[in-house]
DNA sequence: CCTGTGCCCTGACAGC
DNA sequence: TGCTGTCAGGGCACAG
C-alpha cells in the first residue's frame, strides 16, 4: 500500500464538508497575490465579493462552489488547498488568495503548482454546462454508462475520465475502480457489456464513497493537529504499484500510458 | 463529431 | 554536492 494526497472528488468533498462554518459569514475583503493560475484570477474578484454574504458552499464535479451574490468556483488542481486560518496567520509562499471573513478568520487558497483555478460567475452552471452526471448520483447508472459506451472506440478508462460522461473520476480512482470491477483499462468502450457496466458503476461509487468516509476521519485528525483544513491520504490497490504483486493473484502490476496518463492494472485479474 | 497530443506549473526524486 | 532530466495530472486548446 502506498499513500497519495492529490485532491480528487473525495478530497474536494471533504474540504467542502470541512468549511461549512463559513456559511452565513460576510466577506470583508479579498486579497489576490498571484493572477497566473490555470486561468488568471479576475482582477475584479475583490470588488465582486466584498460586502457579500456566503450563502452556501457545495461541490460540483471537482469544483468547490461558493455562493454569494455571485458564484465563486474554486478548483484545487493537483496541489491546491483551501485553508481556514485565524487573523494572526501570516501568508506563506504559494498562498494566492485570502478571503477575509466577518468572524476574523481567513479562507486561504494555497496552490504550489498553480493547476487550480478561482473565478467568479453570475451562474456557475453556465461554466460547467458541458459536464456530465455526478458519479454518486442515481443518474450515473449502469444503463447510463452502457449508453455512453455505444460506438465509442476509445478505452473504457478514457471514457470514465471524460467529464462529459461522468465528472470527478480522476486517474487514481479510475484505476482503482477498474481493478475492483475486473475490467482492463485498455478495453474498448464499445465492447463493454451491460454486466461489466453494472460492476464498474458500482465500483466507482464504492471507491469514491469509501474515500469520502475515510477522509472525514483523517480530516478531523488533521484539523486537531494543525488547526487547519487540507486534503487527506488514501490507501490504494494498484495505483502507483508498478512491479509490485497484485493483492489478489500475486501477478506483477503493470503501468501503461492511456491518453498520456499512467495507468496501473493487473493483467491477470483485469480483462 | 471523435480521438489523441501537448501544454500549463512546481516540487520530488533519480542518476550522474 | 549540485546539477539535469523526468514525472506527476485536470482541464482545455488544438490537430488530424
Amino acid at each position: 500500500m502506498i499513500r497519495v494526497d492529490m485532491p480528487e472528488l473525495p478530497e474536494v468533498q471533504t474540504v467542502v464538508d470541512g468549511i461549512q462554518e463559513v456559511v452565513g459569514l460576510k466577506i470583508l475583503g479579498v486579497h489576490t497575490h498571484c493572477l497566473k493560475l490555470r486561468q488568471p484570477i479576475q482582477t475584479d474578484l475583490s470588488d465582486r465579493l466584498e460586502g457579500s454574504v456566503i450563502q452556501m458552499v457545495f461541490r460540483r464535479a471537482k469544483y468547490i462552489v461558493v455562493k454569494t451574490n455571485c458564484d465563486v468556483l474554486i478548483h484545487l488542481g493537483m496541489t491546491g488547498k483551501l485553508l481556514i486560518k485565524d487573523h494572526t496567520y501570516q501568508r506563506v509562499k504559494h498562498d494566492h488568495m485570502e478571503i477575509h471573513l466577518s468572524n476574523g478568520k481567513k479562507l486561504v487558497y494555497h496552490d504550489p503548482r498553480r493547476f487550480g483555478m478561482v473565478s467568479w460567475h453570475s451562474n456557475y452552471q453556465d461554466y460547467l454546462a458541458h459536464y456530465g452526471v455526478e458519479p454518486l448520483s442515481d443518474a450515473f447508472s449502469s444503463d447510463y454508462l452502457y449508453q455512453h459506451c455505444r460506438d465509442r472506440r476509445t478505452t473504457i478508462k478514457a471514457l470514465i475520465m471524460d467529464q462529459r460522461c461522468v465528472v470527478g473520476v480522476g486517474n487514481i480512482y479510475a484505476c482503482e475502480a477498474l481493478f475492483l470491477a475486473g475490467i482492463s483499462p485498455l478495453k474498448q468502450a464499445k465492447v463493454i457489456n451491460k454486466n461489466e457496466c453494472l460492476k464498474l458503476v458500482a465500483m466507482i461509487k464504492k471507491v469514491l464513497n469509501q474515500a469520502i468516509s475515510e477522509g472525514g476521519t483523517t480530516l478531523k485528525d488533521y484539523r486537531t493537529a494543525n488547526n487547519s483544513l487540507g486534503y487527506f491520504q488514501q490507501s490504494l490497490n494498484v495505483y502507483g504499484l508498478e512491479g509490485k504483486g497484485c493483492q489478489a493473484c500475486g501477478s506483477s502490476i503493470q503501468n501503461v500510458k492511456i491518453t498520456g496518463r499512467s495507468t496501473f492494472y493487473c493483467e491477470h485479474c483485469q480483462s
Side-chain angles (χ1 to χ4, degrees):
Chain A
M1 292 289 199
I2 65 154
R3 305 181 78 83
V4 295
D5 57 2
M6 287 176 275
E8 296 222 27
L9 182 145
E11 289 82 349
V12 177
Q13 184 64 53
T14 303
V15 170
V16 164
D17 292 344
I19 62 169
Q20 289 300 313
E21 65 192 84
V22 305
V23 174
L25 298 178
K26 190 172 179 179
I27 295 173
L28 303 182
V30 180
H31 293 158
T32 55
H33 307 288
C34 170
L35 301 178
K36 278 187 65 181
L37 298 179
R38 191 178 90 209
Q39 61 176 239
I41 297 181
Q42 295 135 310
T43 52
D44 60 349
L45 182 70
S46 183
D47 292 342
R48 275 278 157 179
L49 298 186
E50 197 173 318
S52 63
V53 172
I54 297 176
Q55 297 157 12
M56 222 187 301
V57 179
F58 57 95
R59 179 190 61 75
R60 166 71 171 128
K62 289 185 190 171
Y63 289 86
I64 298 162
V65 186
V66 180
K67 266 201 170 293
T68 65
N69 56 0
C70 61
D71 296 344
V72 182
L73 283 179
I74 300 173
H75 197 293
L76 300 178
M78 280 283 294
T79 52
K81 290 182 180 179
L82 199 55
L83 310 162
I84 293 178
K85 300 288 189 180
D86 65 36
H87 68 282
T88 62
Y89 175 76
Q90 295 292 310
R91 186 163 75 90
V92 298
K93 192 179 182 184
H94 304 308
D95 285 353
H96 304 310
M97 179 187 68
E98 296 166 25
I99 298 178
H100 294 257
L101 301 166
S102 52
N103 66 349
K105 295 197 174 177
K106 307 173 183 176
L107 199 55
V108 178
Y109 179 78
H110 176 93
D111 185 10
R113 208 166 290 180
R114 291 197 265 146
F115 263 36
M117 189 193 88
V118 177
S119 62
W120 72 264
H121 305 267
S122 45
N123 184 346
Y124 79 96
Q125 294 181 18
D126 297 338
Y127 186 80
L128 301 178
H130 60 292
Y131 273 45
V133 299
E134 284 288 331
L136 296 176
S137 70
D138 291 341
F140 185 53
S141 64
S142 56
D143 285 343
Y144 174 89
L145 180 60
Y146 184 72
Q147 287 310 314
H148 267 266
C149 285
R150 293 309 85 213
D151 302 324
R152 294 293 299 274
R153 286 176 296 131
T154 193
T155 60
I156 185 61
K157 191 212 177 205
L159 185 71
I160 61 173
M161 289 182 67
D162 186 340
Q163 80 283 351
R164 290 167 299 185
C165 173
V166 55
V167 301
V169 182
N171 198 36
I172 296 169
Y173 293 112
C175 291
E176 293 297 310
L178 284 161
F179 172 78
L180 293 175
I183 299 169
S184 168
L186 296 162
K187 202 165 188 174
Q188 273 195 317
K190 66 181 182 181
V191 302
I192 298 286
N193 65 35
K194 288 187 178 182
N195 188 45
E196 288 171 320
C197 284
L198 197 66
K199 279 192 287 188
L200 184 52
V201 167
M203 291 306 114
I204 288 171
K205 290 175 191 282
K206 180 179 175 178
V207 294
L208 293 176
N209 275 321
Q210 191 176 334
I212 289 170
S213 62
E214 286 177 13
T217 312
T218 310
L219 183 64
K220 200 174 176 184
D221 296 343
Y222 186 73
R223 283 195 77 174
T224 306
N226 299 282
N227 194 28
S228 61
L229 292 167
Y231 46 83
F232 62 96
Q233 299 178 317
Q234 167 73 24
S235 302
L236 302 163
N237 291 305
V238 287
Y239 185 85
L241 297 174
E242 179 181 8
K244 299 283 196 309
C246 168
Q247 296 287 321
C249 75
S251 300
S252 182
I253 301 295
Q254 304 294 305
N255 178 8
V256 295
K257 291 274 187 211
I258 296 179
T259 56
R261 298 285 176 256
S262 289
T263 304
F264 301 89
Y265 74 111
C266 173
E267 280 182 305
H268 180 256
C269 294
Q270 297 172 255
S271 56

